[in-house]
């Protein structure tokens, strides 16, 4: 079994986390340890198709696995742009969060076949600002269909946020240094795409909406080059 992670980013510079244990729940049996070697990750490195393997085991018992448990240490930090430049702060856990996140999954392991699970860490929903500081309560979901989504290039700005929504589902990302964006794991359907360009100092410079973006199951739709 292989467990990989990617990111739905937030508007920060870096989110460094330490994962110390990964477990999977075998139906009608219980929790199985997949990995307990600590791994430090900058979650914001995992945008636009970038992924990292956070656990791998070759001797996992065959069967149906329905949950993953991801355990974080208390050594996590956030870097963001402030009025006087970049600031890095230590992150405490949000209220009610003990360091363990249980993620529903659908994974069948067969002898001799590698099963792969792709997780999405939603930074924007995981970080909260309160009392002049920040807390982390990780929001992680399985990307069940990474072969369905949308990609493109934004020109006319150094940085842009791209949001895809249709009332029942929404996802977002930021362009990379070349203006490229990729959102995958999107249910098929028709969406509105909103692009918000950021100027120096994180000020909203301009925005653009594209209606009737049709996503087809099993395809990564190309939006080509979009000028803003």
């Amino acid at each position: 079994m292989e467990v990989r992670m990617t990111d739905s980013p937030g508007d920060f510079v870096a989110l460094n986390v330490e994962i110390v244990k990964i477990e999977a729940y075998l139906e009608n049996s219980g929790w199985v340890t997949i990995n307990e070697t600590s791994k430090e990750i900058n979650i914001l490195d995992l945008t636009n198709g970038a992924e990292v393997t956070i656990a791998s085991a070759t001797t996992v018992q065959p069967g149906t696995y329905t949950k993953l448990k991801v355990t974080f240490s208390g050594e996590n930090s956030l870097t963001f742009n402030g009025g006087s430049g970049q600031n890095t702060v230590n992150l405490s856990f949000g209220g009610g969060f003990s360091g363990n996140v249980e993620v529903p999954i659908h994974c069948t392991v067969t002898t001799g076949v590698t099963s792969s699970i792709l997780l999405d860490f939603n930074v924007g929903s995981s970080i909260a600002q309160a009392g002049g500081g920040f807390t982390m309560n990780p929001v992680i979901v399985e990307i069940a269909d990474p072969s369905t989504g949308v990609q493109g290039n934004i020109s006319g700005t150094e940085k842009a946020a791209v949001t895809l929504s249709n009332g029942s589902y929404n996802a977002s990302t930021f362009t990379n240094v070349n203006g490229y964006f990729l959102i995958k794991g999107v249910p098929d359907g028709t969406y509105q795409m909103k692009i918000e360009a950021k100027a120096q100092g994180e000020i909203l410079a301009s925005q653009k909406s594209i209606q009737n973006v049709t996503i087809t199951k099993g395809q990564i739709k190309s939006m080509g080059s979009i000028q803003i």
Side-chain angles (χ1 to χ4, degrees), residues 64-79:
T64 300
Y65 291 80
T66 58
K67 292 185 288 186
L68 280 180
K69 185 187 294 183
V70 183
T71 302
F72 293 83
S73 78
E75 301 298 318
N76 309 294
S77 66
L78 181 72
T79 302

Side-chain angles (χ1 to χ4, degrees), residues 34-192:
I34 306 301
N35 182 71
E36 49 187 345
T37 301
S38 65
K39 189 175 186 67
E40 296 181 4
I41 306 166
N42 178 6
I43 299 296
L44 290 176
D45 283 341
L46 307 179
T47 59
N48 297 311
E51 302 169 1
V52 65
T53 298
I54 59 173
S56 182
T58 58
T59 57
V60 175
Q61 183 177 341
T64 300
Y65 291 80
T66 58
K67 292 185 288 186
L68 280 180
K69 185 187 294 183
V70 183
T71 302
F72 293 83
S73 78
E75 301 298 318
N76 309 294
S77 66
L78 181 72
T79 302
F80 59 95
N81 287 318
S84 57
Q86 289 187 2
N87 297 311
T88 299
V89 296
N90 293 325
L91 283 172
S92 59
F93 292 142
F97 179 61
S98 63
N100 299 318
V101 180
E102 291 190 12
V103 184
I105 62 170
H106 301 85
C107 180
T108 300
V109 173
T110 304
T111 301
V113 179
T114 300
S115 299
S116 185
I117 302 163
L118 180 60
L119 301 180
D120 177 33
F121 190 119
N122 190 321
V123 173
S125 298
S126 300
I127 304 300
Q129 187 170 11
F134 293 87
T135 60
M136 181 177 78
N137 193 341
V139 176
I140 303 173
V141 298
E142 180 188 19
I143 295 180
D145 183 12
S147 65
T148 303
V150 61
Q151 65 181 348
N153 281 83
I154 309 298
S155 58
T157 181
E158 292 185 0
K159 181 180 181 182
V162 181
T163 303
L164 202 65
S165 62
N166 67 357
S168 60
Y169 178 88
N170 68 82
S172 62
T173 190
F174 284 87
T175 54
N176 65 14
V177 294
N178 299 314
Y180 174 74
F181 70 89
L182 169 65
I183 303 174
K184 57 185 177 180
V186 179
D188 57 305
T190 302
Y191 294 82
Q192 178 192 49

